[in-house]
Amino acid sequence: MNRNNAPALPNANLDPIDIMAVQWAFEARESDELTIKEGDQLLLLAEGAANEWVPARRLSGPQANISDVPSGLVPVAYLKKLEPLCRGSALYAYEAENKNCISMRVGWKLDIYLTVGKWMLVKLDRFDGKPGGLGYVPGNYVNSFDEGEKSRLEIVVTAPTGGKHSSFTKA
């Protein structure tokens, strides 16, 4: 792959703009790249449709320290947009507790991607021409609807310390 047009790796503390699924494995060859394997889920940190490479961060839990979560450039051709589990709306206002979470107001519409314990990873709809954002909110603050056939989602997140794995399931 050609890295001549690759963007400089931004600060890994950038807010995520989308959630992506890895279609094929890729072994990092440079220090600013991220090794990925088929089935991994990543947070996209910047647009990159015209670029061959995009900055991404591994999916982590709502209380993880972002600076400990692996991030780097990945080939955009190896990724596909993850489809949401279902739609929902905010029952209550919520103010983000940390960089992994996102604030929302009552009634805001959102896509629900997964649950992690009592938390949900959601992407808010756009408002006033501004991106809604992506992050965790308390699950009991969300009214989910339009579930259709999608009733269960299980992912595996690699913990940044010790390489332990945790399974998260939506009931």
Side-chain angles (χ1 to χ4, degrees), residues 4-5 26 31 43 60 68 75 97 102 115 122 132 142 144 161 168:
N4 293 338
N5 296 328
F26 170 77
S31 63
L43 296 173
S60 61
D68 293 338
E97 296 176 10
I102 190 159
T115 59
V122 303
V142 174
S144 61
T161 55
F168 304 110

Side-chain angles (χ1 to χ4, degrees), residues 46-128:
E47 293 291 340
N51 295 319
E52 293 182 19
W53 297 82
V54 291
R57 181 173 58 235
R58 290 204 185 285
L59 188 61
S60 61
Q63 304 302 322
N65 182 348
I66 289 177
S67 63
D68 293 338
V69 180
S71 62
L73 295 172
V74 296
V76 70
Y78 286 45
L79 308 177
K80 69 176 178 177
K81 184 173 173 14
L82 189 67
E83 294 298 320
L85 178 64
C86 60
R87 294 279 296 154
S89 63
L91 291 171
Y92 308 101
Y94 173 71
E95 195 64 37
E97 296 176 10
N98 62 43
K99 199 80 168 138
N100 293 322
C101 299
I102 190 159
S103 298
M104 64 182 181
R105 294 187 184 156
V106 174
W108 280 11
K109 302 291 187 260
L110 47 90
D111 288 325
I112 302 168
Y113 286 91
L114 59 97
T115 59
V116 179
K118 296 179 181 181
W119 295 88
M120 288 183 169
L121 179 63
V122 303
K123 185 173 184 180
L124 300 173
D125 287 356
R126 297 177 69 93
F127 294 97
D128 301 326

Side-chain angles (χ1 to χ4, degrees), residues 24-64:
W24 301 286
F26 170 77
E27 187 71 30
R29 292 172 269 182
E30 304 287 336
S31 63
D32 62 347
E33 296 173 353
L34 179 64
T35 296
I36 54 177
K37 61 184 185 229
E38 184 178 347
D40 282 353
Q41 294 176 339
L42 305 173
L43 296 173
L44 193 64
L45 301 177
E47 293 291 340
N51 295 319
E52 293 182 19
W53 297 82
V54 291
R57 181 173 58 235
R58 290 204 185 285
L59 188 61
S60 61
Q63 304 302 322

